[in-house]
């Protein structure tokens, strides 16, 4: 691995990150110089805490333009989620809902940031939770608000203002990895939680070995957490995390963190996390194309995908109506209880 953090000329107009957002360290090690398509993209590992992030990265304006452009492409094919997309998201939402359920009660106030097509919100509201959403993608946000009649505001995270101690719980599913300053976002949510309130965060796992090594990095993901870094981020903003857990294939990592039931939220802290950089480095260095080919993942994943598609076709043959699909996915949640 190279020790240099100097930007190649193609990154000339990108912003160089001088200090780690998580621990304030200035010592980074380059772990990759290209993205999944072979385009230049430098990814670094913070030696102070094991946080992994794009550096240099596009400016805030360039990131916003990137998303606008990406969204326009997405709109051409699917301004709103198609039935198969809704069904896939609804099954994922049912799993997330079952994770959140023990921490929710009827009438409690929940905010889902990055609520997508609204599938999770719909299920939480079906359970009697006063769940609301924020979604930056206009197509999906409007679909949730207009077709599913859900309380979703279409806005970017940067514009979000939350009343302190107004929420019983909040969730951030596959959002934090897109944020320039995830700690700032977590702090905003921590402040918005009532004492004793819960936050659930899930992101792609920085140490995932279920994907090809070269597929790990791409421009849309600005930051990468492993379990210890995610727990550390929660502690840094004053929350008390439970141990982080991995999805069955190790591709995602999630954590539940609670705002202390007593007292004011402590000040935001940026502290090192000894040993975590070595842990992440060891995993990344050990994950070669050859080692990947010797695992079950490259062979099992296509079969699992095929089986999912077959079950999906069976379901969509019964109905393609959004509400009916949500009800069917919700029934899988009821069976999990
Ligand atoms: Zn750091």
């Amino acid at each position: 691995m190279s020790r240099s953090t100097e930007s190649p000329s193609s990154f000339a107009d990108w912003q160089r990150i001088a200090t780690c957002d998580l621990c304030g360290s200035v010592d980074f090690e380059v772990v990759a110089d290209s993205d999944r398509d072979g385009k230049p993209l430098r990814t670094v590992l913070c030696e102070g805490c094991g946080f992994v992030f794009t550096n240099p990265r596009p400016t805030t304006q360039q990131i916003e333009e990137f998303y606008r452009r990406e969204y326009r492409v997405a709109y051409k094919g699917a301004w709103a989620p198609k039935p198969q997309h809704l069904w896939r998201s609804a099954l994922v939402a049912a799993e997330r809902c079952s994770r959140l359920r023990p921490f929710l009660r009827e009438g409690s106030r929940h905010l889902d940031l990055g609520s997508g097509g609204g599938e999770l919100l719909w299920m939480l509201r079906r359970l009697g939770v006063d769940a609301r959403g924020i979604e930056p993608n206009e197509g999906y946000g409007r679909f949730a608000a207009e077709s599913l009649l859900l309380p979703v505001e279409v806005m970017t995270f940067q514009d979000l203002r939350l009343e302190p101690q107004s929420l019983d719980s909040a969730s951030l599913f596959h959002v934090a990895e897109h944020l320039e300053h995830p700690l700032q976002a977590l702090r905003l949510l921590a402040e918005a939680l009532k004492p004793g309130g819960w936050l659930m965060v899930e992101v792609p796992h920085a140490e995932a070995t279920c994907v090809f090594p070269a597929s790990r990095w791409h421009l849309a993901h600005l930051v990468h957490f492993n379990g210890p870094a995610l727990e550390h981020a929660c502690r840094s903003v004053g929350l008390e995390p439970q141990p982080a857990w991995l999805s069955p294939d190790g591709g995602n990592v999630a954590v539940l963190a609670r705002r202390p039931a007593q007292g004011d939220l402590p000040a935001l802290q940026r502290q090192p996390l000894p040993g975590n950089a070595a842990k992440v480095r060891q995993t990344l260095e050990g994950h070669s194309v050859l080692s990947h080919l010797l695992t079950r993942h490259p062979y099992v994943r296509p079969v699992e995908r095929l089986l999912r598609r077959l079950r999906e076709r069976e379901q969509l043959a019964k109905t393609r109506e959004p509400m009916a699909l949500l009800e069917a996915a919700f029934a899988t949640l009821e069976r999990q209880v």
Side-chain angles (χ1 to χ4, degrees):
M1 289 183 191
S2 161
R3 290 261 158 188
S4 166
T5 53
E6 196 179 311
S7 309
S9 57
S10 57
F11 301 147
D13 58 343
W14 287 18
Q15 55 181 330
R16 184 176 164 274
I17 311 305
T19 58
C20 171
D21 192 52
L22 203 51
C23 76
S25 169
V26 296
D27 296 319
F28 315 131
E29 177 182 336
V30 176
V31 293
D33 258 327
S34 56
D35 72 359
R36 58 176 60 168
D37 301 318
K39 292 179 187 160
L41 185 75
R42 179 160 291 174
T43 305
V44 302
L45 167 68
C46 172
E47 295 188 4
C49 70
F51 195 38
V52 179
F53 53 96
T54 303
N55 191 13
R57 70 173 172 232
T59 61
T60 304
Q61 193 186 355
Q62 286 168 330
I63 291 168
E64 283 175 7
E65 279 168 14
F66 168 78
Y67 279 109
R68 270 201 296 274
R69 199 171 59 241
E70 287 294 297
Y71 288 161
R72 270 208 294 273
V73 171
Y75 286 162
K76 280 183 193 168
W79 189 85
K82 288 178 177 171
Q84 65 266 35
H85 300 144
L86 183 88
W87 174 243
R88 281 172 217 167
S89 299
L91 288 177
V92 172
E95 196 277 326
R96 291 172 179 172
C97 194
S98 70
R99 288 276 186 187
L100 283 166
R101 200 171 184 176
F103 305 95
L104 303 168
R105 62 178 196 284
E106 211 172 315
S108 66
R109 293 193 64 190
H110 182 90
L111 180 70
D112 185 36
L113 267 107
S115 49
E119 299 84 2
L120 176 62
L121 285 186
W122 187 91
M123 290 187 198
L124 293 175
R125 294 185 72 82
R126 184 83 161 65
L127 292 171
V129 175
D130 178 10
R132 291 161 191 279
I134 301 291
E135 172 52 44
N137 183 313
E138 200 185 336
Y140 276 57
R142 283 180 61 184
F143 170 80
E146 293 167 13
S147 299
L148 301 181
L149 307 174
L150 294 166
V152 172
E153 279 188 81
V154 178
M155 62 157 68
T156 64
F157 199 88
Q158 285 77 6
D159 298 328
L160 183 63
R161 301 290 176 270
L162 296 173
E163 202 181 316
Q165 303 192 20
S166 58
L167 299 171
D168 294 290
S169 54
S171 50
L172 205 58
F173 289 106
H174 292 259
V175 171
E177 69 271 23
H178 299 280
L179 302 176
E180 288 181 81
H181 301 291
L183 218 54
Q184 219 173 50
L186 292 180
R187 178 68 185 189
L188 181 69
L189 287 170
E191 286 170 355
L193 287 175
K194 294 177 187 172
W198 287 94
L199 171 67
M200 185 169 170
V201 184
E202 185 182 78
V203 288
H205 185 207
E207 291 187 66
T209 53
C210 57
V211 292
F212 267 97
S215 305
R216 188 186 291 279
W217 318 114
H218 64 112
L219 184 59
H221 292 181
L222 299 175
V223 300
H224 310 262
F225 295 86
N226 69 345
L230 195 55
E231 293 170 15
H232 189 63
C234 291
R235 275 192 296 272
S236 302
V237 300
L239 298 176
E240 297 168 338
Q242 291 187 349
W245 70 90
L246 301 179
S247 57
D249 66 358
N252 297 321
V253 59
V255 72
L256 257 167
R258 193 178 78 134
R259 179 173 170 152
Q262 303 290 330
D264 292 335
L265 208 56
L268 191 148
Q269 296 183 11
R270 284 189 166 85
Q271 291 183 333
L273 182 59
N276 198 38
K279 181 180 186 301
V280 176
R281 184 185 301 119
Q282 191 178 10
T283 303
L284 296 183
E285 285 181 346
H287 186 218
S288 64
V289 171
L290 181 61
S291 74
H292 185 68
L293 289 173
L294 292 173
T295 66
R296 60 194 278 276
H297 296 298
Y299 316 102
V300 170
R301 280 167 77 90
V303 177
E304 285 176 345
R305 196 176 302 130
L306 178 66
L307 290 173
R308 269 202 306 274
R309 293 288 177 272
L310 289 173
R311 284 197 294 268
E312 183 178 300
R313 195 180 292 180
E314 198 182 330
Q315 175 61 41
L316 293 171
K318 289 182 203 159
T319 180
R320 298 176 70 82
E321 200 276 316
M323 294 292 187
L325 288 171
L326 286 166
E327 282 291 352
F330 188 76
T332 69
L333 167 67
E334 291 294 286
R335 284 198 293 273
Q336 287 171 31
V337 176

